Amino acid sequence: AMFVGNGARLVVDSEGVQFGSLVVGGEVDLKRALTVGSNTVPSIVSGRMFGNGSLTKTGSATLALSGVNNARGALFIDDGML
């Protein structure tokens, strides 16, 4: 699991970054691909997402996106709910 608090920024600038779950109140800079949801814990992104990298949702849990999303990369839902 990864927690990114309000005012903090997660920069995804390496290939193959994966988190079982993700809770974000701050920002996510998608410079590369990010995969979330490999465990059964819901992921929540209420902060801003931006960048050219893709976001892939795996696993049976829910991914909630409620923040500003300026990301230009692809969004893939392999399993679970968005």
Side-chain angles (χ1 to χ4, degrees):
M2 170 62 78
F3 176 78
V4 181
N6 292 337
R9 178 181 289 172
L10 170 64
V11 179
V12 181
D13 59 0
S14 298
E15 289 296 326
V17 176
Q18 299 182 30
F19 297 112
S21 62
L22 181 65
V23 176
V24 177
E27 297 182 328
V28 179
D29 183 354
L30 293 171
K31 294 181 184 296
R32 304 277 185 151
L34 173 63
T35 300
V36 298
S38 62
N39 62 24
T40 58
V41 177
S43 293
I44 302 167
V45 179
S46 59
R48 184 171 82 112
M49 284 193 342
F50 60 97
N52 294 322
S54 64
L55 176 63
T56 300
K57 160 68 181 82
T58 62
S60 60
T62 300
L63 170 61
L65 302 174
S66 62
V68 174
N69 183 356
N70 296 329
R72 294 179 292 264
L75 173 63
F76 302 100
I77 308 299
D78 290 347
D79 197 2
M81 293 181 16
L82 176 65

